[in-house]
Amino acid sequence: MSVLILGATSRVARELAHRYAEAGLAVAVAARDVDEARRITADLAIRREVPAQAYAFDATDFDSHAPLLDAVEDALGPIEVAVVAFGDMGDQEAAQDDFAAARKVIDVNYTGAASICEALAGRMQPRGRGAIIGISSVAGDRGRQSNYFYGSAKGAFTLYLGGLRNRLHGHGVTVLTVRLGFVDTRMTYGMQTGIPIADPAAISRQIVDAVERGADDIYLPRFWRGIMGVIRVIPEKVFKRLSL
Ligand SMILES: NC(=O)c1ccc[n+]([C@@H]2O[C@H](COP(=O)([O-])OP(=O)(O)OC[C@H]3O[C@@H](n4cnc5c(N)ncnc54)[C@H](OP(=O)(O)O)[C@@H]3O)[C@@H](O)[C@H]2O)c1
């Protein structure tokens, strides 16, 4: 049995790879940067003493998704847990100037994520087991001027995961949606925020716990559920005037 980590160079993803390796699962580390993926597998193999293999993965290379899963399962056995961790916030201003940049954000965060999840579901459903963890974002809960391409793609991914969970319920496959707030990674590097930024290792432990207890849709850190509850109920007439 194996765990597949997609977008493995993310700090959250690396921590999750270690959590599942600690539990004894073989780890498939998939990333755009294969050299870095190899360094991650070497670390996992030495520190956790589990089989680990590196794979090239680009979320926007849709045709490569099914062959990647075949290669992982041939080498490491059936994928028990898949972590869809990749994401690209892009540059909102660049995306407004050039739709190609906007499309890339949509393709990575939504189309690519849905493509790999469909390929995973197609394998897990007939086996009647497996877990898919989709890392989405609180940015997907409400459209804001500062990041509406990223936010809308993550919002679509959140909705997609809800539908997939509905489809796979009763087939032994669980789907966990993780709506992340601020976590200390490359994505938040240098960001000024009055809201605390979470530690990726702590987040990884909470994600593993959530899968174990069969959770469906969680906010991490948990206080983001309250923040987004307030943000969602602000009337649009007021919200559109805010520079968020
Ligand atoms: N950090 C936060 O506060 C926060 C908040 C909400 C949601 N999230 C979500 O959490 C997840 C992890 O992000 P992070 O915070 O750890 O940021 P990160 O360090 O920027 O990680 C993003 C990951 O996505 C990968 N990626 C980007 N484009 C890709 C593509 N076309 N194909 C394959 N992989 C691609 C990156 O690979 P490279 O190394 O090759 O660039 C990297 O591994 C993402 O889904 C992100 O949207 C993060």
Side-chain angles (χ1 to χ4, degrees), residues 13-32:
R14 282 172 205 251
E15 292 292 341
L16 278 165
H18 279 275
R19 297 297 82 74
Y20 281 107
E22 282 161 6
L25 263 69
V27 188
V29 172
R32 283 193 296 194

Side-chain angles (χ1 to χ4, degrees), residues 1-2 72-80 127:
M1 277 194 317
S2 63
V72 170
E73 296 204 323
D74 285 349
L76 299 173
I79 297 166
E80 182 71 9
R127 287 205 284 262

Side-chain angles (χ1 to χ4, degrees), residues 7 9-10 32 58-59 85-87 135 150 154 180-181 183 185-186 188:
T9 55
S10 136
R32 283 193 296 194
D58 190 319
F86 56 85
I135 310 286
Y150 173 72
K154 284 296 197 185
L180 275 192
V183 183
T185 69
R186 247 186 310 166
T188 50

